[in-house]
Amino acid sequence: MAITKLNSNQLYRKCDPSKFDFKTTSDLEERLSALGQDRAISAVELGIHIKSRGYNLFCLGPEGTGKTSLVKRILEKEAKKRKTPSDWAYVYNFDEPYKPKAMSFPAGMACDFADDVDDLIEELSAALPALIESEEYKAALGIIKQKYKSKKDEYINVLQKKAKGKRVSLLHMQMGLVVAPMKDGEVLNPDSFDQLPEDEKKLIMDDLNAMQEEIENATQDLPRWEEKQKAEIDNLRQKFAKVAVKEPIDALRKKYKGQTQATKFLKSVQDYILDNVDEFVPEDKDKATMAGGEDEPLQMLLSRMKQPEEDKFSKLKVNVIVKNTADSGAPVITLDHPTQGNLVGKVERIQQYGALLTDFTLIKGGALHRANGGFLLLDARKVLEQPFAWDSLKRAIASKRIKIEAPSEETSFTTISLDPEPIPLDVKVVLTGDFEIYDLLCERDPDFRDFFKVEADFGIIMDRTEYNETEYAKLIGSLSQKKGLRALNKQAVARVIEHSSRLAGDSSKLTAHISSIGDLLREADYWARNSNSKQIGKNHIEQAIDAQIYRSDRIKKAMLEDIDKGSILMDVKGERVGQINGLVVYDFSNYTFGKPARITTQVRIGKGDFLNIEREIEMSGPIHTKGVLILQSLIANRFAKRSPLSLSASIVFEQSYGGVDGDSASSTEYYCLISAITGLPIKQSIAVTGSINQFGEIQPIGGVNEKIEGFFDVCAHQGLTGTQGVIIPRTNIENLMLRADILQAVEEGKFTIYAIDTVDDGIEILTGKKAGKLNAKGQYPKDSVNGMVQQSLKEYYEDYARYARETKGCL
């Protein structure tokens, strides 16, 4: 095809606002579904409806495409049709205290059951201690005590009779009965006893020993009496406790008759209370004693230092970890901070007197518990950033159960903790992430594809059709309404659509990066508010775009100043041999812009070596190196098929202090090399971009808009002459969405954009001479560029051969 000078209509695809049948976006119906994501939506629908193992989803695409909010809407819509899953709770395991039991309830019932158990605890905490205050209990207790008091009194009377007529007396002391010496009816103290005659003391001692033997024989029955009395009192307390406990527990068991786990737990509660009645029913007051004497202050101090008494009713509580509302559908859970504990649950601890304590009431459910029976939406990158979270998630999916794990279980350091009973898992896990994360998981984790079989690929562009433009207008209206912004008139909508094509880098496409469009609308609303406008107009959109560029183009402006000052060498006028203006793109996190870069080439006699200086100093990326090698192959293919290529060349991006990559400069380097070989000067007013193949065909490149604008800005700074322009691949025409000032300059003939198909087209523009075509004899016309290359290479070969003969092959 011939060289084409592009007109302004080819450089920018306008959106005609007259096609819209609304005045402002407030007239449009809300668009809730995604636009241009049919492929991804189809994958999501497939994944959520297949219940087989491993059919979880990975939604991949760049941030800002709205994939998370879209997927969440799809999941919420599906969740409403599904059955509400069970509630879950943990209770004390009376058989194995360190292994709390899991209990399931129909949706909405767990909290009711927990409240009923709390009411039961409150009732029992008042009723059980009150037992010992009841008249009936006191009467029965009095009978038991009187029974054994009578036996004790009878025992003492017998001993008193045996002591009668002897020289001893029975004294009732705190530790029991004590035998003391007696004379004339009075008890003797140790001093008085020592003053007695020896024979009298002997008689008294015989009586003392005889009486002590009698006491010892009689007291053998005392422990059995005390054990029997205690047993009867314990039976009495258990009997009364059973009456107090049975009625309210039976009422709850009847209420939850259909819940087997609940009724079994209530039976265990009843058995535990009756088996440990001493903990719940206090002993009668007259059995309590207080330490006295000199040790009393120490006892009080120890009492104050004693740890708080364990709540005896805490073991009876119900710890609800998942509560759902009946008939609310399946849950859709998102987790922003997916630590291991937040994902699979955790057992918390409380610090008390320097120790970390825990019990089943401190078990906290995780996102998997709350999402059980529904959907769990996670950011893959955040999961991978958290220690142990990814492995715990995979274990849960593989085993189909949720096991609460302590982080220490993943390390060599372990502590004694609770081991809660695992809960069955039925959940659809949806991960979101970019392509990098997806590829990383596919490559590094062999289990990943088994657990996440469905890939939902969210694109970043969509076709710019008439239908999509109309639907995009609805999307713009929905965004402005959702964010509480002013409505847009049709001219503003048309400008947003045009900017969307610019963001997509293609006049036939629209961007699906909804976040960028949302930011633009917010900023346009700011400018509309500043101008006291009730709606957003085209001028406000353009103000917002200009402001975005202004905030980010400091580096670009600094580079233009350096070019103006001559710090960066750049010619946009005249002609030079072995020198050309290439175009490069600088891509920062929030701004991308283009700039011309001087490329120079030097040639000399050699063995066909092409020296890529950037590569030699390790500043050339692999794609750029590939482009240079293709260039070398193209030269050899065209001009040295039957003879050696007897020259060496060096190619460099001048004043390049960072890495260089990409093959978009390979055609530029070709023209520069041809100029160096032939000595033909190249127009410095023309910048070039485009990659080449081994047949000299021009291939498309990226960043074409930024590159053209970058060179135009330099030319505009130094003054447009009407001879300046840019050469681009023809296949990049549909990517053009250039600024208005460039369109105006093209219309006024001050700037030209050429579209070409082959390197021959480009060399004709740059040199003003015909490239020339190969004839049947394999020769190019002598006055053509290619003919001059052919002649120069022939001369290089002859010089090389002559020099080789003179030096005997040493070069």
Side-chain angles (χ1 to χ4, degrees), residues 201-462:
K201 284 198 292 185
K202 184 178 183 306
L203 292 173
I204 293 175
M205 286 301 298
D206 291 341
D207 289 343
L208 284 172
N209 292 333
M211 198 64 217
Q212 186 66 37
E213 186 177 352
E214 288 287 342
I215 292 174
E216 290 176 358
N217 292 334
T219 55
Q220 291 179 359
D221 294 331
L222 279 178
R224 289 193 293 272
W225 293 347
E226 292 177 356
E227 290 174 3
K228 289 180 180 180
Q229 179 181 353
K230 184 179 183 303
E232 288 190 27
I233 292 175
D234 288 345
N235 289 336
L236 177 67
R237 291 162 66 205
Q238 191 173 55
K239 175 182 176 183
F240 275 80
K242 186 174 183 179
V243 173
V245 169
K246 189 174 186 303
E247 183 177 349
I249 288 183
D250 283 350
L252 278 185
R253 292 173 70 182
K254 183 177 180 181
K255 180 178 179 179
Y256 294 96
K257 185 177 180 180
Q259 304 302 314
T260 305
Q261 289 178 309
T263 55
K264 285 184 178 180
F265 170 70
L266 292 171
K267 178 66 168 59
S268 298
V269 168
Q270 179 176 325
D271 293 342
Y272 178 76
I273 293 175
L274 297 180
D275 291 343
N276 300 274
V277 70
D278 290 344
E279 295 183 23
F280 298 94
V281 180
E283 296 180 350
D284 47 303
K285 295 178 182 178
D286 60 355
K287 292 184 69 176
T289 60
M290 177 70 73
E294 295 180 356
D295 291 337
E296 183 174 352
L298 177 61
Q299 294 292 338
M300 293 176 64
L301 178 62
L302 291 174
S303 176
R304 286 196 296 268
M305 292 178 62
K306 187 178 180 181
Q307 293 186 7
E309 182 182 1
E310 180 185 2
D311 180 6
K312 49 185 169 288
F313 288 100
S314 64
K315 296 177 181 178
L316 314 184
K317 292 180 178 290
V318 177
N319 178 19
V320 179
I321 63 168
V322 178
K323 48 186 176 182
N324 295 304
T325 303
D327 301 322
S328 62
V332 178
I333 303 298
T334 58
L335 185 60
D336 292 328
H337 187 47
T339 62
Q340 183 190 39
N342 290 343
L343 192 59
V344 299
K346 56 188 172 183
V347 180
E348 294 183 338
R349 293 170 173 82
I350 57 174
Q351 185 175 4
Q352 194 174 84
Y353 295 97
L356 292 176
L357 307 179
T358 189
D359 60 41
F360 75 97
T361 62
L362 295 177
I363 298 174
K364 305 298 179 184
L368 280 172
H369 293 93
R370 298 192 299 276
N372 203 3
F375 305 95
L376 177 59
L377 189 58
L378 298 169
D379 186 318
R381 185 180 295 275
K382 292 180 180 179
V383 175
L384 293 172
E385 287 174 348
Q386 297 298 327
F388 315 125
W390 177 247
D391 288 336
S392 294
L393 176 63
K394 290 198 300 179
R395 277 195 294 271
I397 295 174
S399 63
K400 290 189 176 182
R401 62 178 194 165
I402 313 169
K403 178 175 172 57
I404 296 178
E405 304 168 330
S408 60
E409 294 178 13
E410 301 284 348
T411 65
S412 58
F413 177 76
T414 59
T415 58
I416 297 177
S417 185
L418 299 181
D419 183 19
E421 180 182 0
I423 290 176
L425 177 64
D426 178 19
V427 69
K428 186 72 70 174
V429 180
V430 181
L431 294 180
T432 62
D434 55 30
F435 297 97
E436 180 184 3
I437 291 294
Y438 183 76
D439 291 340
L440 177 68
L441 288 170
C442 289
E443 180 181 349
R444 299 296 180 88
D445 191 336
D447 301 325
F448 173 68
R449 296 305 296 267
D450 292 333
F451 294 145
F452 294 89
K453 294 180 181 291
V454 181
E455 166 196 336
D457 188 355
F458 284 78
I460 57 174
I461 58 173
M462 66 189 80

Side-chain angles (χ1 to χ4, degrees), residues 137 398 402 571:
Y137 177 82
I402 313 169
D571 293 326

